[in-house]
Amino acid sequence: SGLLYSAAAVDECSGRVVGHGALKFKTPGGSVAELAAGIVHPDVRRMGVFGLLEDFLIKQARRLELDGVFIDAVANHVASQQLSEKSGFRSCAIMLGLLPSDSEFKGITGLAKQKISVLVRYKLLKDYSQVKIYPPARHSRQIESLYKAIGIDVAVLLASPAEACQG
């Protein structure tokens, strides 16, 4: 359907699948994908398997000429945040209490004691010259800082009240 581009890591000696990751699209042919569905067999965790999958998928995203990729990193799993930081992902949003308190990431975080927040991290894959944006005046500084956080230079242009209402 064009919504998922999967990659598997296979142990060459045993032929066993030891990891999986994917580029997940909201719509076929989208310009941004989520780096998702990451899982690594417990026997090979902390051996760089997910890093290899991530590198492979980012290369595929570049080959597909995507604008960028993003990761939803659970806030209570520091390792996923550190790995995405090393790979050049930048924080651009936090979704507080997004996941229910009964969420469990076996062998990684254990059972949560409260709702889990998700840190959205973005990796820009294309170079942009300055982008013009027309945010609502009361939110212009926050929106400008979000663009800058992911590496896009913006020119904030405020629409007149009449222009803003024409939507």
Side-chain angles (χ1 to χ4, degrees):
S1 68
L3 295 177
L4 194 70
Y5 184 101
S6 283
V10 178
D11 180 326
E12 291 179 351
C13 297
S14 68
R16 178 177 68 147
V17 175
V18 294
H20 176 269
L23 294 173
K24 183 177 172 185
F25 295 88
K26 295 280 184 199
T27 57
S31 63
V32 173
E34 178 182 5
L35 186 58
I39 188 165
V40 174
H41 193 281
D43 292 349
V44 296
R45 284 197 186 132
R46 295 174 186 48
M47 293 184 180
V49 172
F50 192 74
L52 293 172
L53 283 166
E54 183 180 73
D55 290 346
F56 175 80
L57 288 166
I58 289 171
K59 284 179 187 168
Q60 296 311 307
R62 288 184 193 284
R63 188 183 61 76
L64 294 169
E65 299 181 359
L66 299 185
D67 293 338
V69 292
F70 70 95
I71 293 176
D72 287 342
V74 290
N76 61 338
H77 187 228
V78 176
S80 66
Q81 295 172 47
Q82 291 170 334
L83 181 61
S84 64
E85 184 76 26
K86 285 182 188 175
S87 299
F89 284 81
R90 297 178 179 185
S91 298
C92 62
I94 187 163
M95 296 181 281
L96 300 172
L98 180 70
L99 301 176
S101 59
D102 61 355
S103 298
E104 183 176 5
F105 301 91
K106 293 184 179 181
I108 299 174
T109 63
L111 190 61
K113 294 178 176 48
Q114 62 189 23
K115 287 185 173 186
I116 300 171
S117 297
V118 173
L119 184 64
V120 181
R121 311 203 76 204
Y122 188 80
K123 181 176 180 75
L124 191 63
L125 299 178
K126 288 190 173 180
D127 291 326
Y128 286 90
S129 57
Q130 191 175 62
V131 174
K132 294 177 184 176
I133 61 171
Y134 297 84
R138 67 180 182 202
H139 300 298
S140 64
R141 288 197 345 217
Q142 293 90 344
I143 293 171
E144 179 182 15
S145 70
L146 289 172
Y147 273 90
K148 287 184 177 183
I150 62 171
I152 298 176
D153 183 35
V154 293
V156 178
L157 305 169
L158 300 178
S160 69
E163 290 172 318
C165 292
Q166 291 176 352

